[in-house]
Amino acid sequence: MSLPFSDGSGKRYRNRKGRMNESEIITIMICYHFGTFRTFKDYYLHYIKGYLEQDFPTSVSYNRFVELMPRLFFKMMLFMKLYAFGKCSGITFVDSTMIPVCHNVRRRFNKVFDGLAKDGKGTMGWCHGFKLHLMGNDSGEVITFCLTGANVDDRDERVWSVFSKELYGKVFADRGYIKKGLFDTLFEQGIHLVHGLRANMKNKLMPMWDKVMLRKRYIIECISELLKNKANLVHSRHRSVHNFLMKLCSALAAYCFFDNKPQALPVHVEKSRQLELF
């Protein structure tokens, strides 16, 4: 029998081992992003507590499960780092995508992310929420990520201080990453930033291999689309900041186990396929 204990403030807590294992909680969170359920509540009540009740006999109530989720944040991050994320192969693609937390009309009435979510403008217009900076390799694997406010620039030093720890070789980006200071800083670290040119910029010579790899930037864009459309990353039903972060991490971990990751084929393989067509 376990006895309650106090933390010194007068509030008493129960000292009892949980029914569910931590591995079961992480598995349930990751598997949610493989299904077609739009809300996690329906997924847990109808699928986990109903259809998979024999597989999870010690499953707790939905409210209790939501309370247990934020406790596994660091272990989820460790799992992603060791078993889910890929490694840098010398060919890296970088991009960012907006994660709105509510409709723009309701941005002044959102209390959950008050003081955290920011207003920012992307390629699809204005957004109130956050910006997810992603870095992936040529095999379609996520290397690492960085979450910032929606008003943070893609060339921000804080973002690249996180990315540069995992990088080497060449990094392929779009025109939004053009900045001489960023290029020089990365070049001193042995990282070559390759990007396109704006219409008002002077033309520069570029190796043919770099031009071909710039066309492979669809890989990182496909990763963002899979996270949003298949992994159900974006929705406006978050009830706490902690659960928002946990669902973000579980969506990234679930993507790492998808079978339809986009990949960049070698140049000689593409040429051989083109010859076969003719």
Side-chain angles (χ1 to χ4, degrees):
M1 180 178 179
S2 60
L3 299 177
F5 69 96
S6 176
D7 59 356
S9 61
K11 188 175 181 179
R12 305 179 71 185
Y13 299 88
R14 63 178 185 180
N15 185 15
R16 188 177 68 184
K17 186 177 181 180
R19 293 172 53 187
M20 296 190 68
N21 296 327
E22 296 176 346
S23 59
E24 292 180 329
I25 299 176
I26 293 177
T27 302
I28 291 174
M29 293 178 59
I30 293 178
C31 291
Y32 162 68
H33 301 281
F34 286 90
T36 58
F37 289 90
R38 297 299 300 172
T39 62
F40 186 82
K41 185 174 183 179
D42 291 338
Y43 161 77
Y44 187 81
L45 294 178
H46 298 127
Y47 191 67
I48 300 299
K49 296 284 289 184
Y51 186 74
L52 298 181
E53 186 176 5
Q54 296 180 353
D55 298 325
F56 299 96
T58 59
S59 58
V60 296
S61 63
Y62 172 74
N63 293 333
R64 181 58 180 167
F65 188 88
V66 172
E67 294 176 357
L68 295 176
M69 286 168 53
R71 301 183 182 184
L72 303 178
F73 175 75
F74 293 103
K75 294 186 178 180
M76 176 70 81
M77 292 291 293
L78 183 62
F79 170 78
M80 294 163 58
K81 180 67 176 179
L82 296 179
Y83 301 103
F85 284 172
K87 302 296 182 182
C88 181
S89 61
I91 302 174
T92 309
F93 303 94
V94 63
D95 199 6
S96 62
T97 182
M98 293 290 187
I99 304 181
V101 296
C102 66
H103 195 276
N104 290 332
V105 178
R106 301 192 301 270
R107 65 182 184 276
R108 300 187 184 276
F109 305 99
N110 188 283
K111 302 300 182 183
V112 177
F113 299 95
D114 187 19
L116 296 176
K118 304 295 182 181
D119 293 333
K121 188 176 183 181
T123 56
M124 303 301 294
W126 285 94
C127 164
H128 179 74
F130 302 93
K131 182 182 288 187
L132 180 63
H133 306 265
L134 288 172
M135 190 170 62
N137 56 21
D138 54 342
S139 299
E141 299 174 333
V142 176
I143 300 175
T144 187
F145 72 98
C146 183
L147 184 68
T148 62
N151 58 348
V152 175
D153 189 20
D154 295 340
R155 303 162 294 184
D156 194 278
E157 296 180 356
R158 295 169 294 179
V159 176
W160 284 96
S161 63
V162 177
F163 284 173
S164 60
K165 298 177 182 179
E166 307 287 340
L167 279 179
Y168 69 88
K170 292 190 176 183
V171 183
F172 298 90
D174 58 10
R175 298 180 182 90
Y177 290 85
I178 298 177
K179 185 179 180 182
K180 188 178 185 304
L182 176 62
F183 179 87
D184 295 339
T185 302
L186 295 177
F187 195 79
E188 292 176 358
Q189 302 177 14
I191 304 170
H192 185 195
L193 179 62
V194 182
H195 51 70
L197 299 176
R198 295 195 181 102
N200 58 351
M201 296 178 64
K202 294 182 179 180
N203 194 13
K204 296 181 180 180
L205 293 178
M206 182 183 298
M208 182 58 66
W209 188 83
D210 290 350
K211 290 184 178 181
V212 173
M213 295 310 297
L214 272 178
R215 298 177 181 177
K216 305 296 182 182
R217 282 198 62 259
Y218 67 85
I219 292 178
I220 194 68
E221 296 173 355
C222 289
I223 293 177
S224 301
E225 290 297 322
L226 286 173
L227 286 173
K228 288 184 175 182
N229 298 330
K230 185 176 180 180
N232 195 20
L233 177 61
V234 177
H235 62 82
S236 59
R237 296 177 294 275
H238 298 290
R239 296 296 178 262
S240 68
V241 179
H242 303 91
N243 290 339
F244 163 74
L245 294 175
M246 289 302 300
K247 290 181 179 178
L248 171 65
C249 295
S250 60
L252 289 169
Y255 165 80
C256 297
F257 297 99
F258 284 177
D259 296 330
N260 57 341
K261 294 189 188 70
Q263 295 183 3
L265 295 176
V267 178
H268 67 276
V269 176
E270 288 195 348
K271 288 183 178 179
S272 62
R273 289 193 173 183
Q274 293 176 1
L275 292 175
E276 291 177 358
L277 294 177
F278 291 101

